[in-house]
Amino acid sequence: MGAAIAYTVLLLGARRTVLRHREVTTMAGFLDAHKRSSLALAYEDPDQAAREMDGYAWETPKVPTPFVGAAAAPGVYGNATINAMQFRAAAEVAIPKPEGRFRIFVTGGSTAFGVGAPSQDRTISGYLEALLERELEPAAGVQYEVWNTATTAWTSTHERVLIENRLSELEPDLVVSVSGNNDVHWGYTGHDVLWMRTYGDALFFKVLRIAWRDMGFGRLHDVAKHGARVAPDLVVARLRKNLELSLAALEPAGGPYVFVLQPTLAATHKRLSPREAASVRARAAEDPERAPYFRDCYAAMERELPLLEGRGLHYVDLAGVFDTDGPEQEIFLDSYHFGDRGNRRIAEAIFAAVRGVILERVRARATAGH
């Protein structure tokens, strides 16, 4: 009887988890009228955002995916389209790369994916592609394509595996990781980012455990455990390892690698709006150790990651990209995510930082006759 009860609890727990994931496919899953009007202020057109926000993609469904555990399932979810390669795009990647194309891949977690973005072209990747087309394409005589390959909750390990196993095979001219925050997030919850499950991966494991038991094979043990909070220096050491391995994977393709340290509410020096400040206070009341941990990790990254510049990495620190903004300027939707205003500002800062890198690469290609 005890085993049957335990099994029922496990089954119901898995069902609740699946339903929670489905509920937040778009922002409609967690917005009431007050939140909708409040969050709309972080968008360029608040009135439009308030009307349409329910359809903005948030936590799109996942599918078990080789080597990375889980990634976005191909399909259309709210205003997000996921293609066959599990990238956020309506088009498919042309193989081989067409003549005259300059191919950029942007990877990362939910910020890079663009949760809460009003459209695919108002994600960081979408804004970056528009900037390249407007500012560089006429002068360079090449066509730029920017692919959004990010997945929510991913760490630098997932990005590295994606770079090694997929992006390096797709003729990249540049790879940009908009990252850092999730390594800190998972470190705070006691996870080793080199050997762990994200939320989607854990969900599929829970369902598999039920099926395994239902087939009479007993308990399926989970070997990916979490423990004590990870020390900030170790968080950064693991991140640095992933960056070095990503650099090595991209070396044969010859494409530069750019690591962008993304802004996060816990580490920003922005003068916060009343809503943003209330979010910080609520987090601090719930867990006072969280924000100091993020600040310590970000400080360690800002010390250590520039040392990789001489190894071929282009490091772009955008942790302070909003620091000059005042309380009248709404930016953060929550701790890690942005409306289109924040996405545009991040894309503009990335463009300014990598413009020279791109033009240098374009000139090198022209000299080589490609």
Side-chain angles (χ1 to χ4, degrees):
M1 181 65 72
I5 293 174
Y7 176 74
T8 301
V9 169
L10 186 64
L11 181 62
L12 291 174
R15 180 176 175 78
R16 281 194 299 270
T17 304
V18 171
L19 290 174
R20 280 199 299 271
H21 275 256
R22 288 182 177 274
E23 285 171 358
V24 295
T25 294
T26 66
M27 293 179 74
F30 58 90
L31 289 178
D32 56 26
H34 172 71
K35 284 185 178 179
R36 188 179 294 105
S37 61
S38 178
L39 293 179
L41 297 174
Y43 290 84
E44 304 278 21
D45 187 338
D47 292 336
Q48 180 187 35
R51 289 193 307 271
E52 301 177 357
M53 197 180 292
D54 282 355
Y56 294 173
W58 195 261
E59 179 60 47
T60 56
K62 303 296 188 294
V63 64
T65 302
F67 297 103
V68 291
V76 179
Y77 310 101
N79 64 354
T81 300
I82 310 299
N83 72 9
M85 281 194 171
Q86 300 170 269
F87 302 161
R88 185 172 183 174
E92 300 296 339
V93 181
I95 304 171
K97 183 172 62 178
E99 192 71 25
R101 296 284 180 89
F102 192 97
R103 180 168 286 174
I104 299 172
F105 294 104
V106 175
T107 189
S110 52
T111 299
F113 178 82
V115 301
S119 61
Q120 308 227 126
D121 60 357
R122 285 190 277 177
T123 62
I124 293 169
S125 299
Y127 279 118
L128 182 59
E129 185 172 80
L131 282 166
L132 292 164
E133 291 174 350
R134 184 171 68 246
E135 302 293 334
L136 296 188
E137 189 170 344
V142 299
Q143 182 177 350
Y144 293 92
E145 53 183 46
V146 180
W147 296 93
N148 184 342
T149 71
T151 294
T152 56
W154 268 11
T155 70
S156 62
T157 305
H158 300 88
E159 297 165 36
R160 183 251 298 172
V161 174
L162 180 76
I163 289 168
E164 289 177 324
N165 292 7
R166 173 147 280 182
L167 302 189
S168 64
E169 300 294 313
L170 297 177
E171 302 178 83
D173 291 293
L174 181 69
V175 175
V176 180
S177 289
V178 181
S179 189
N181 176 86
N182 283 359
D183 283 48
V184 182
H185 167 85
W186 289 110
Y188 186 71
T189 56
H191 290 81
D192 176 356
V193 298
L194 298 176
W195 200 260
M196 57 161 281
R197 302 186 195 282
T198 61
Y199 303 117
D201 193 9
L203 170 62
F204 291 122
F205 183 84
K206 182 179 287 188
V207 173
L208 177 61
R209 175 181 279 177
I210 293 169
W212 193 262
R213 183 167 180 169
D214 197 39
M215 290 185 290
F217 298 132
R219 180 177 176 80
L220 186 64
H221 293 280
D222 190 352
V223 296
K225 301 290 186 180
H226 65 278
R229 189 171 303 158
V230 181
D233 286 346
L234 185 52
V235 169
V236 178
R238 289 168 175 165
L239 171 59
R240 181 168 175 167
K241 176 178 182 175
N242 283 325
L243 297 185
E244 290 171 336
L245 291 170
S246 296
L247 278 170
L250 289 171
E251 186 176 1
Y257 181 41
V258 177
F259 179 83
V260 177
L261 180 59
Q262 68 184 79
T264 189
L265 187 57
T268 189
H269 295 292
K270 177 187 183 294
R271 288 171 294 158
L272 302 179
S273 71
R275 181 188 60 81
E276 291 168 333
S279 177
V280 170
R281 289 194 299 271
R283 277 281 195 176
E286 179 184 320
D287 189 350
E289 297 180 5
R290 186 174 179 278
Y293 178 84
F294 267 75
R295 289 193 289 270
D296 287 346
C297 288
Y298 263 62
M301 285 189 274
E302 289 167 337
R303 286 194 309 270
E304 292 295 320
L305 298 187
L307 302 177
L308 293 176
E309 283 276 0
R311 302 276 302 278
L313 178 79
H314 299 276
Y315 170 65
V316 181
D317 186 351
L318 294 189
V321 68
F322 303 123
D323 283 1
T324 60
D325 286 282
E328 73 287 349
Q329 185 80 300
E330 291 268 1
I331 297 289
F332 291 89
L333 291 176
D334 57 18
S335 297
Y336 315 147
H337 306 118
F338 309 94
D340 55 353
R341 180 180 296 123
N343 289 341
R344 175 181 57 79
R345 294 274 301 281
I346 292 169
E348 289 170 348
I350 293 172
F351 174 76
V354 304
R355 184 178 188 275
V357 175
I358 292 171
L359 290 177
E360 182 180 344
R361 175 76 169 163
V362 168
R363 286 192 292 268
R365 277 183 21 168
T367 302
H370 295 300

